[in-house]
Amino acid sequence: AGRPPVAMSTLPPVRALAEADLPEVRRIFQLAFGTFMHAPDPAQWGADRDFTTTRWRAAPQNAWVAEIEGKVVGSNYLTQWGSFGFFGPLTVLPEFWDKGVARALLSPTVARFEELGVREAALFTFSHSPKHISLYQKFGFWPGSLTALLAAPATPAILAGAIHISQLPEAERLAARAACRALTGAIYPGLDVSLEIEAIAGQQLGETVLLHGPGGLDAFACCHCGPGTEAGNDSVYIKFAAVRPGPGAAHVFDSLLAAVRDLAARRQLTRVATGISLARREAYRRLLSLGFRTNAIGVSMHRPDGSAYNRSDAWILDDWR
């Protein structure tokens, strides 16, 4: 029941997302993805995960809603990782699909990327949806490599050199964040995921796992844990992980994944999920050898047409959802 869809001759107005909008934005997120995925009950799709409230709390200045006749009908988020950025989830109430709502939300998003001066902007979308790919191309985003979403069982492990950032005193946590920033900057100049580390700590979303070697920080993983985060029930989700480039990176990568799988086991969660660009060939092959199995495939899109850090020697896990 409800009003028939409004015929749009102009794009709907867009404004900053306010805290009071969050319940409706999350409802639209579930209904939009649930409908697209043909879920039996679209309104309950992803109910154990939260991609909307957590991202607004991390960067409220980078979130927008579109309205029609005073009703919120869609939203979008922008995430900045230093010199790199991506947007999403962009969701629209199904009854307003193909009525310019997504285009309206993309305008301030692209303007913000330009204002922030990121070297490259990107997104993750459905690789089997020409409609989505065509829309984003109109805003200067071009398809790149496929992105796999994978998972593996949790397994306990004992590892030397692996610690959780929450175990450190405040001064050492600041130093650890600086070390993480230096590590990512060695892979892609200016790449900085401090936002994720701080959001995990400040919102109690999970844990950042640090792996040290004789020369300092070798790798780290920003992890969401359990329901109410981007992980969902029974899961640890690696939002971002990176290994220092150079000889021995594969061995360090194995150890980092073992540390995250141990984190899941310690929290009585059953699986570890993550994403990776298939252009990061060495890390992707290693994931498969460690028992990770693909459950979905998407595609990355880039503005300008490039590849960011999607290359064979980059030992990075993320998926830009």
Side-chain angles (χ1 to χ4, degrees), residues 20-154:
D21 299 317
L22 289 171
E24 180 62 7
V25 164
R26 187 173 183 186
R27 186 187 77 86
I28 292 172
F29 167 84
Q30 292 174 211
L31 189 58
F33 277 106
T35 300
F36 187 85
M37 300 290 192
H38 304 290
D41 183 359
Q44 293 303 309
W45 186 91
D48 59 329
R49 292 178 290 170
D50 191 347
F51 286 79
T52 54
T53 304
T54 54
R55 295 194 187 188
W56 180 83
R57 287 175 177 163
Q61 74 279 12
N62 290 335
W64 301 269
V65 294
E67 292 182 312
I68 293 177
E69 297 182 352
K71 173 184 178 179
V72 172
V73 296
S75 65
N76 195 23
Y77 294 77
L78 181 154
T79 298
Q80 183 187 12
W81 289 347
S83 61
F84 174 78
F86 62 95
F87 74 78
L90 192 164
T91 55
V92 177
L93 200 61
E95 65 192 80
F96 292 99
W97 286 357
D98 303 317
K99 297 187 182 300
V101 178
R103 285 188 289 125
L105 287 162
L106 281 167
S107 293
T109 304
V110 170
R112 182 60 56 85
F113 279 133
E114 293 174 351
E115 178 185 329
L116 293 170
V118 298
R119 289 181 57 195
E120 206 162 328
L123 64 105
F124 171 102
T125 193
F126 304 104
S127 55
H128 62 290
S129 175
K131 180 178 78 170
H132 287 87
I133 292 171
S134 176
L135 169 65
Y136 300 135
Q137 282 178 174
K138 290 180 173 68
F139 286 83
F141 292 87
W142 290 90
S145 57
L146 295 175
T147 298
L149 307 181
L150 311 97

Side-chain angles (χ1 to χ4, degrees), residues 108-293:
T109 304
V110 170
R112 182 60 56 85
F113 279 133
E114 293 174 351
E115 178 185 329
L116 293 170
V118 298
R119 289 181 57 195
E120 206 162 328
L123 64 105
F124 171 102
T125 193
F126 304 104
S127 55
H128 62 290
S129 175
K131 180 178 78 170
H132 287 87
I133 292 171
S134 176
L135 169 65
Y136 300 135
Q137 282 178 174
K138 290 180 173 68
F139 286 83
F141 292 87
W142 290 90
S145 57
L146 295 175
T147 298
L149 307 181
L150 311 97
T155 51
I158 299 175
L159 294 162
I163 61 172
H164 298 163
I165 200 169
S166 64
Q167 298 171 330
L168 299 175
E170 176 60 27
E172 293 184 33
R173 290 199 295 270
L174 292 172
R177 288 200 292 270
C180 292
R181 186 163 54 249
L183 192 158
T184 53
I187 300 172
Y188 183 84
L191 180 63
D192 178 6
V193 296
S194 297
L195 175 79
E196 303 301 337
I197 298 172
E198 292 162 6
I200 287 169
Q203 299 181 49
Q204 298 182 322
L205 302 175
E207 187 62 80
T208 297
V209 178
L210 308 171
L211 193 63
H212 290 89
L217 183 70
D218 282 341
F220 70 97
C222 303
C223 302
H224 286 221
C225 300
T229 74
E230 295 182 27
N233 291 341
D234 300 323
S235 297
V236 166
Y237 169 58
I238 303 174
K239 179 74 179 281
F240 182 93
V243 174
R244 184 177 301 283
H251 174 71
V252 174
F253 186 76
D254 290 359
S255 297
L256 182 66
L257 267 296
V260 175
R261 293 170 84 166
D262 178 69
L263 168 67
R266 288 173 182 267
R267 296 204 175 202
Q268 299 183 313
L269 301 169
T270 62
R271 66 196 287 269
V272 171
T274 192
I276 188 169
S277 164
L278 301 194
R280 303 176 206 153
R281 280 286 196 267
E282 296 305 313
Y284 173 58
R285 289 192 179 103
R286 205 74 178 184
L287 280 176
L288 297 179
S289 74
L290 294 171
F292 281 79
R293 295 295 176 260

